[in-house]
Amino acid sequence: MSILLDLERLSVRYNRLTALSDVSLEARAGEVTTVIGPNGAGKTSLVNAVMGLIPSRGRVTFPLWPKAALSTGARVRARICLVPETRDLFGPMTVLDNLRLGAFVARSERGFDMEARLAEVARLFPRLDERRHQQAQTLSGGERQMLALGRALMLRPRFLMLDEPSLGLAPLVVAEIFRVIEQLKRDGVAILLIEQNARAALRVADHAYVLEGGEVQLQGSAATVMADARVVGAYLGMGRTGGAQGPVAEPPERIEGGLASGSEASRPARDAGVHHARTRPAIGAAS
Amino acid sequence: MTFDIAAVLFQDGVANGAVYVLLATVLVLVFTVTRIVFVPQGDLIAFSALTLAAFEAGHTPGTVWILALGAALALILAGGKAAGERNLAGLASAALWFGAVPAAIVLTALFLVPKEAPLLWKMAVTCALITCLGPILYRLVFEPIAAASPLVLLIAAVAAHFGLSSIGLHVFGAEGVRTPGFAGPPLVVGDLVVTRQTVGVIASSLVLVGLLSLFFRRSLSGKALLAAAHNRRGAELIGVSATAAGRTAFIVAGLIGAISGILIGPMTTLYYDSGFILGLKGFVGAIVGALAIYPLAALGALLVGLVEAFASFWASAYRDVIVFTLITPVLFWRSLASPHVEEEAE
Ligand SMILES: Nc1ncnc2c1ncn2[C@@H]1O[C@H](COP(=O)(O)OP(=O)(O)OP(=O)(O)O)[C@@H](O)[C@H]1O
Ligand SMILES: [Mg+2]
């Protein structure tokens, strides 16, 4: 399959802190590529840099759409979309306006049908359709997530990046989001999925990267990564309920010295517990 | 007060109010797209009238030097940034917008506007000069801090105003000017005599308010501009550059400022520093519309004009005081009308 996104030795620095160092990654047409890793691993920095929202070093190329690398706007026009971790909706505008704006760059293209796109998104997220005249800022967290995803889908993306689409959602809503991801995958949309919910992510993914401390610690087909003993221990919580195992590799000094080093260690363990156990049957039931 | 006097005052008030409408409209426009309270809009209006007056007198207007200097600075800034990023498209657009276009306008103003040129041509060149200042001002003052809080932007806007009016004093001198009115006899409606100027001001402000209101309410492009103010990153992610949105708003601000100056020039004497008081009055109107709703802001601005006209009849020394006191009940009313909204987290 052809390569859609080719990252070569990508590095992101914030002042003194190195959030990503020399990350190389590929995403292929028709595949779901997932990046998992603990909090602060640099996942969000990765997709933001790929989208051109923050400065980075190294090479970001989209072999099929060479012009896309020029700017964020050029990526959007090439139908490369990001649903950011912060959602970035237009709060005072209605759901409908947010959705329409999602297709802003396509509005005058030949063959583009706004109503058809809206209907398609309404079919995927009936809940949004019921609230089409509500202000985006008054939506619940889950509805906001759906709107952010819906806004990106309005453009009929060819390559879609999702930054923790299930963040903070109830298990049933997580299942709904993953159902949409699977549907998109069936429709042939290439996806780069950032997830804390490693089990669900690895299940839909074809290829997986484990990012820790700004570096790729492990990569391979989703099946191999899922079977890796270290991943099982750290992210899938098959081991003890205490989840005392550390991440795949010890995080480098600079991250350990950071503000969140204590809570970082406990996050995978929490994910490994109740959350996963409850989402699993929900997803199973939905798909 | 007789009916006749009231009618004249009313007409005056509406004509002045219409100018404030133009101002309030721009304030709303710039604020909704960029979160900037564009204090220097009044300066653009004053500069426009001063420019036209200089053309009439057969001088080279000082605006030419302001534009040349501003464009050169903007070109260095924008060109340097684009070159640093090895961004060829950016370099080309900087060379066009801050190089070629201002240069063409400056050269036209220097060599192609003789004293005896038709008034319409002088007005057109005035419009071009002032309109071009808008995006340059944005590039120099606001674009570098575009993501800052509204308070920081306001401080920058006030600073820009003081900068502009000191430059204005330098290049235009301290004398006031009045520009010639539009040709043609005044119109007579019943007992009232209405100048063409007044009709022009009122008509253009009405048309403008209507157009802008429709554009931002109905069209997707209008909403895209607003989106840039609601959430910069969100706008980038739908392919709308917040910088381009800001630049667009400032081009429109420059154009409306230029037109306002040409319209108001024959009605009142304008000095290099008249902009501030004008701007404040437009601002009172814009506040009535919560810096967001065009028709309300227009109504507010009209009200300011009327209050001013009647105040100058009864207590002319306190005219401005009365107008600015108006803002207190208005703010009180707005604070009741709209619940406190948290500053959007970005
Ligand atoms: N704007 C910024 N300025 C300074 N440091 C930042 C900034 N953004 C992120 N960082 C730091 O960079 C590191 C990587 O952050 P990033 O958001 O990419 O992590 P992440 O993997 O997405 O984490 P999470 O799972 O919590 O979302 C963190 O240590 C973070 O504190
Ligand atoms: Mg993140």
Side-chain angles (χ1 to χ4, degrees):
Chain A
M1 281 274 201
S2 54
I3 295 172
L4 293 189
L5 166 69
D6 189 2
L7 290 188
E8 255 174 76
R9 302 175 61 91
L10 188 78
S11 299
V12 172
R13 303 192 52 161
Y14 301 106
N15 302 322
R16 311 265 294 286
L17 180 115
T18 304
L20 273 190
S21 48
D22 289 339
V23 170
S24 297
L25 177 150
E26 282 173 10
R28 290 162 190 279
E31 287 192 1
V32 175
T33 308
T34 186
V35 177
I36 57 176
N39 292 130
K43 305 181 296 297
T44 298
S45 307
L46 176 79
V47 281
N48 285 351
V50 168
M51 201 60 196
L53 292 170
I54 55 173
S56 58
R57 290 181 46 184
R59 264 165 41 103
V60 179
T61 36
F62 303 93
L64 295 186
W65 315 292
K67 276 192 182 166
L70 285 178
S71 67
T72 304
R75 289 168 173 80
V76 178
R77 282 185 289 277
R79 314 225 165 171
I80 298 166
C81 295
L82 166 67
V83 178
E85 192 174 34
T86 41
R87 308 308 168 217
D88 296 318
L89 299 172
F90 308 120
M93 294 187 180
T94 62
V95 167
L96 203 56
D97 279 343
N98 270 275
L99 289 176
R100 286 208 186 103
L101 281 171
F104 182 70
V105 297
R107 71 196 181 287
S108 47
E109 275 170 23
R110 211 165 337 128
F112 176 78
D113 182 351
M114 184 69 88
E115 293 311 313
R117 292 308 301 152
L118 283 170
E120 161 99 17
V121 171
R123 198 175 51 75
L124 284 174
F125 299 109
R127 259 190 218 235
L128 284 183
D129 198 38
E130 290 160 21
R131 293 166 175 71
R132 47 181 23 206
H133 297 297
Q134 196 171 326
Q135 277 189 330
Q137 64 199 3
T138 61
L139 294 177
S140 81
E143 289 158 359
R144 249 177 253 190
Q145 227 103 319
M146 291 177 195
L147 180 54
L149 187 49
R151 184 177 71 181
L153 293 180
M154 282 297 291
L155 200 56
R156 209 186 258 289
R158 295 192 279 205
F159 180 50
L160 180 62
M161 290 179 270
L162 304 171
D163 194 351
E164 307 214 17
S166 74
L167 188 71
L169 299 185
L172 274 178
V173 186
V174 174
E176 210 173 318
I177 298 269
F178 272 94
R179 177 179 54 77
V180 171
I181 294 174
E182 274 164 18
Q183 162 93 56
L184 289 171
K185 181 181 175 182
R186 274 198 299 276
D187 295 345
V189 181
I191 295 174
L192 180 64
L193 174 65
I194 307 289
E195 258 298 334
Q196 289 285 348
N197 191 339
R199 181 186 305 278
L202 287 170
R203 176 134 13 103
V204 290
D206 301 286
H207 208 82
Y209 289 80
V210 179
L211 195 66
E212 284 172 8
E215 288 167 16
V216 174
Q217 295 296 348
L218 189 69
Q219 64 157 306
S221 73
T224 8
V225 170
M226 198 156 15
D228 190 285
R230 294 165 299 175
V231 172
V232 170
Y235 297 103
L236 301 177
M238 300 295 228
R240 292 161 287 143
T241 43
Q245 288 111 322
V248 173
E250 284 308 315
E253 298 268 297
R254 56 177 184 279
I255 296 286
E256 219 169 35
L259 279 176
S261 61
S263 58
E264 264 170 27
S266 61
R267 174 77 182 263
R270 199 212 73 196
D271 272 2
V274 194
H275 199 51
H276 284 192
R278 293 215 338 237
T279 52
R280 194 178 188 180
I283 290 173
S287 53
Chain B
M1 175 188 293
T2 65
F3 175 77
D4 282 351
I5 294 179
V8 168
L9 288 180
F10 184 80
Q11 190 196 334
D12 260 17
V14 171
N16 280 335
V19 173
Y20 302 146
V21 170
L22 289 173
L23 251 160
T25 309
V26 169
L27 289 177
V28 171
L29 167 77
V30 172
F31 186 78
T32 48
V33 176
T34 63
R35 292 280 172 264
I36 297 167
V37 176
F38 190 42
V39 183
Q41 177 67 11
D43 298 311
L44 293 184
I45 295 180
F47 284 11
S48 164
L50 289 161
T51 305
L52 187 58
F55 279 139
E56 280 295 301
H59 305 149
T60 299
T63 333
V64 170
W65 312 122
I66 303 180
L67 181 59
L69 184 72
L73 287 177
L75 184 61
I76 294 172
L77 219 68
K81 185 159 175 276
E85 291 165 356
R86 294 196 167 59
N87 176 354
L88 279 181
L91 210 57
S93 112
L96 179 66
W97 294 110
F98 302 130
V101 170
I105 296 174
V106 164
L107 290 176
T108 307
L110 279 178
F111 300 113
L112 296 179
V113 190
K115 189 166 187 239
E116 57 284 353
L119 183 60
L120 219 55
W121 170 241
K122 290 175 183 161
M123 287 176 174
V125 178
T126 303
C127 275
L129 280 166
I130 302 291
T131 306
C132 198
L133 275 182
I136 289 176
L137 205 58
Y138 180 69
R139 183 63 192 85
L140 292 179
V141 181
F142 299 106
E143 194 185 312
I145 53 165
S149 71
L151 180 62
V152 173
L153 295 172
L154 173 63
I155 294 170
V158 171
H161 155 71
F162 283 116
L164 278 178
S165 60
S166 356
I167 299 173
L169 174 61
H170 195 74
V171 301
F172 293 114
E175 305 96 72
V177 296
R178 249 179 207 254
T179 52
F182 300 150
L187 311 171
V188 180
V189 186
D191 286 345
L192 281 183
V193 181
V194 189
T195 64
R196 282 171 190 260
Q197 204 67 35
T198 309
V199 177
V201 176
I202 295 171
S204 46
S205 51
L206 281 182
V207 167
L208 206 70
V209 170
L211 283 183
L212 285 176
S213 195
L214 270 182
F215 175 68
F216 283 106
R217 264 161 187 277
R218 296 264 172 259
S219 81
L220 200 59
S221 304
K223 285 177 179 166
L225 287 179
L226 298 182
H230 293 320
N231 191 312
R232 288 179 72 80
R233 176 178 289 192
E236 300 279 347
L237 289 175
I238 58 164
V240 174
S241 139
T243 306
R247 194 179 309 136
T248 309
F250 272 71
I251 292 174
V252 178
L255 180 63
I256 298 179
I259 297 174
S260 316
I262 290 172
L263 287 173
I264 183 183
M267 291 166 33
T268 141
T269 307
L270 286 172
Y271 301 85
Y272 73 97
D273 64 347
S274 300
F276 191 61
I277 279 290
L278 274 177
L280 269 184
K281 287 177 184 160
F283 181 67
V284 175
I287 287 289
V288 174
L291 277 174
I293 306 160
Y294 290 93
L296 266 185
L299 263 175
L302 217 53
L303 190 71
V304 170
L306 285 173
V307 169
E308 188 185 35
F310 283 89
S312 58
F313 178 73
W314 276 310
S316 84
Y318 295 102
R319 190 179 72 170
D320 289 344
V321 177
I322 292 174
V323 169
F324 293 129
T325 313
L326 204 67
I327 203 171
T328 317
V330 164
L331 281 177
F332 182 66
W333 165 63
R334 291 265 26 139
S335 74
L336 294 180
S338 54
H340 176 71
V341 188
E342 288 295 330
E343 198 48 48
E344 272 168 71
E346 295 250 352

